[in-house]
Amino acid sequence: VTFEGGHLTNAEKHFWIDDKKCKNCYECDTAFTLFNRRHHCRKCGKVFCSKCASNTIPSYNNSQNQVLQVRVCNYCYCLYL
């Protein structure tokens, strides 16, 4: 995951699944609503509910020379451990 000025670069977002094409959480199949929001895993780019993407992992920020915590899905979090 690469950052510029504290935000994901467009190059990093290119592999994300389009919000409009995803109506349900990739892991638990819960429907997205006004209150059950979509969250992209910063590692795999798939879309999850907040329960299935509640973990964070460190990611290096090139422009600010720091490590930030980024949201990831449960599967990617397990791979990180």
Side-chain angles (χ1 to χ4, degrees):
V1 177
T2 307
F3 290 88
E4 286 180 8
H7 301 287
L8 285 170
T9 63
N10 285 336
E12 292 299 320
K13 291 182 180 181
H14 80 279
F15 68 91
W16 283 12
I17 294 175
D18 186 1
D19 285 351
K20 294 174 184 141
K21 293 181 180 178
C22 192
K23 305 293 183 201
N24 297 67
C25 174
Y26 189 82
E27 185 173 326
C28 72
D29 205 37
T30 300
F32 295 119
T33 65
L34 183 61
F35 301 105
N36 186 31
R37 296 179 49 207
R38 294 169 176 87
H39 298 279
H40 282 92
C41 173
R42 300 316 199 254
K43 191 79 174 148
C44 69
K46 295 175 183 162
V47 183
F48 300 89
C49 67
S50 61
K51 290 179 185 176
C52 296
S54 60
N55 299 297
T56 60
I57 61 172
S59 180
Y60 183 69
N61 181 328
N62 290 330
S63 65
Q64 296 180 359
N65 255 353
Q66 65 182 6
V67 176
L68 300 174
Q69 295 293 314
V70 295
R71 182 185 293 263
V72 293
C73 67
N74 294 333
Y75 180 76
C76 289
Y77 183 72
C78 287
L79 291 178
Y80 168 75
L81 295 177

